[in-house]
Amino acid sequence: MDKDFEKKIRTRKIRSRLVILVLAAAIAVAVIAALRERGKGKEITVSLEIRCDELARDTSKLKDELLAEYVPEDGCILPETKVQAAEGETVFDVLDRVCREHDIQIEYSYTPGYDSYYVEGIHYLYEFDAGKTSGWSYTVNGESPQVGCSQYELKGNDKILWEYVCSFRS
């Protein structure tokens, strides 16, 4: 091979590697800046509780009797727990983090059209396990927000309750 040709190829390879390194560094800087920006909200305290009282009172509502083993006698999956959160975090952010920290099974899906997460199951109890209108519902300070859990931004001292309901009320 011609030495000039080999030199051109080596130079191109070096340039390509440099471009990749510069792009990777730029992406890393952008990610770090975004994470810092996200964490800028002041720290707040909220509480989270997860319950399934209706099922605890009557496990015969379950379509599959084997699921009764996931229903605590007192209906309490997670007692009211104080949680540190950043201002601007959502109900979903806190639920997901606390479930992971307390080793509570959770399953959810993301819906791009709504830019929102939907909680399908917590503690192996899923929507429709106790009938066609059963599933997980949340309240904040005793009120049912009219937005999805990943759209509701928390404020200090908010009390979040996730509850498995057998009949959604509108």
Side-chain angles (χ1 to χ4, degrees), residues 7 11 14 16 41 47 71 76 87 89 95 111 120 126 130 135 140 152 156:
K7 188 175 181 180
T11 302
I14 290 171
S16 295
S47 67
V71 179
C76 184
E87 194 172 67
E89 277 193 283
L95 174 69
T111 306
E120 298 169 2
Y126 284 78
V140 178
Y152 189 98

Side-chain angles (χ1 to χ4, degrees), residues 32-163:
I32 290 169
L35 289 172
R36 284 187 181 146
E37 186 65 31
R38 184 177 181 197
K40 277 189 177 176
K42 71 176 188 174
E43 195 168 275
I44 59 173
T45 301
V46 298
S47 67
L48 172 66
E49 185 174 10
I50 305 172
R51 303 197 60 87
C52 58
D53 294 307
E54 199 172 344
L55 284 177
R57 286 189 297 273
D58 185 4
T59 58
S60 71
K61 293 179 179 183
L62 289 166
K63 289 181 181 178
D64 182 347
E65 62 189 37
L66 296 176
L67 292 173
E69 74 177 271
Y70 298 108
V71 179
E73 273 186 39
D74 65 355
C76 184
I77 294 169
L78 178 76
E80 187 173 337
T81 302
K82 296 285 184 195
V83 179
Q84 297 302 307
E87 194 172 67
E89 277 193 283
T90 66
V91 168
F92 174 77
D93 295 329
V94 168
L95 174 69
D96 187 42
R97 185 174 69 247
V98 170
C99 281
R100 292 178 194 290
E101 288 171 356
H102 288 84
D103 207 22
I104 297 170
Q105 181 272 347
I106 181 171
E107 189 169 332
Y108 48 83
S109 56
Y110 178 73
T111 306
Y114 292 106
D115 187 28
S116 185
Y117 285 91
Y118 176 73
V119 175
E120 298 169 2
I122 301 172
H123 195 61
Y124 303 101
L125 299 171
Y126 284 78
E127 60 180 337
F128 314 130
D129 279 346
K132 60 184 175 183
T133 59
S134 65
W136 288 97
S137 177
Y138 81 98
T139 60
V140 178
N141 303 323
E143 302 283 326
S144 291
Q146 298 302 306
V147 296
C149 63
S150 59
Q151 301 297 321
Y152 189 98
E153 290 189 9
L154 295 166
K155 297 165 209 62
N157 300 314
D158 278 345
K159 289 186 173 209
I160 308 160
L161 171 64
W162 278 92
E163 186 174 21

